[in-house]
Amino acid sequence: MRIVGSLVQAYQICPRQAWLMSRQICPDEDNVYLQLGRLIGAQSFGRERKEVRLEHLCIDLVRRGGRDFVIGEVKKSSRAREAARMQLAFYLYELREMGMEAEGELLFPEERRRERVVLDESLARQVEELKARILALIAQDQAPLPEKIRFCGKCAYAEFCWA
Ligand code: SF4
């Protein structure tokens, strides 16, 4: 199975969430936070927004600048900032593997914040380690057991884990 950005983000938040996603177990589509996130993603940065699908990558926004270009990842809040940062780093890494050098921008429109992400060698190594850990996780037959964490309350799998 090929690793995608949403899996990278999910793994950083909760390995169980990533495992469930890897098995195409659909989250609760009526989850209000899931809907809110999609709405903010769809409405933000109207003029510069240009979602791009490139092989297994689905990038929220692409614009000129940086090295070859700048890619953006839009999030509804910075609550899971580190997970979002690693998702963006993963995109930068995969683009580099395809021969494209880009810079990244994390975008939190509700908070009017932007954060630059540059793939240096240290971050690239972190991405490689992360990919290896994700591959090991999704090779497991069973999902990790649920653990109560601060993200459970807004997680679209909450009913699946805790009902
Ligand atoms: S509800 Fe909690 S334990 Fe279950 S997938 Fe979501 S974050 Fe993980």
Side-chain angles (χ1 to χ4, degrees):
M1 182 185 168
R2 205 158 191 193
I3 296 175
V4 295
S6 53
L7 208 54
V8 171
Q9 194 210 10
Y11 180 85
Q12 292 284 106
I13 291 171
C14 168
R16 177 177 169 84
Q17 190 184 108
W19 190 95
L20 294 171
M21 281 176 70
S22 77
R23 297 304 193 274
Q24 273 89 49
I25 296 172
C26 295
D28 172 13
E29 292 293 322
D30 293 331
N31 180 290
V32 67
Y33 299 106
L34 203 61
Q35 292 180 2
L36 190 62
R38 285 181 184 146
L39 196 67
I40 289 169
Q43 289 183 342
S44 307
F45 307 99
R47 267 176 298 131
E48 59 180 294
R49 188 173 178 83
K50 218 173 249 178
E51 188 178 271
V52 170
R53 285 179 187 269
L54 196 60
E55 296 189 9
H56 58 302
L57 309 180
C58 181
I59 297 165
D60 281 346
L61 192 147
V62 177
R63 67 169 173 81
R64 288 193 186 138
R67 296 174 188 174
D68 290 345
F69 50 92
V70 177
I71 60 170
E73 179 63 28
V74 181
K75 297 294 181 197
K76 71 176 188 297
S77 91
S78 56
R79 200 163 167 258
R81 177 193 156 276
E82 185 54 24
R85 195 178 78 87
M86 289 312 293
Q87 181 180 0
L88 190 51
F90 166 77
Y91 290 145
L92 295 173
Y93 180 93
E94 297 294 288
L95 287 171
R96 181 185 283 181
E97 291 291 289
M98 293 178 205
M100 291 173 266
E101 291 289 338
E103 286 184 10
E105 256 180 4
L106 270 183
L107 303 158
F108 305 106
E110 294 288 282
E111 302 170 12
R112 299 184 187 280
R113 270 183 64 188
R114 284 176 190 241
E115 192 176 313
R116 188 164 168 253
V117 177
V118 175
L119 187 75
D120 58 17
E121 288 320 303
S122 160
L123 191 54
R125 265 198 308 279
Q126 287 180 52
V127 172
E128 284 164 5
E129 286 164 15
L130 189 55
K131 284 176 68 176
R133 291 206 304 273
I134 293 171
L135 284 174
L137 170 87
I138 61 183
Q140 293 175 17
D141 291 337
Q142 303 278 327
L145 292 172
E147 280 179 38
K148 277 273 183 205
I149 56 172
R150 68 189 176 100
F151 293 104
C152 289
K154 295 182 178 177
C155 177
Y157 288 109
E159 215 167 303
F160 189 82
C161 292
W162 305 111

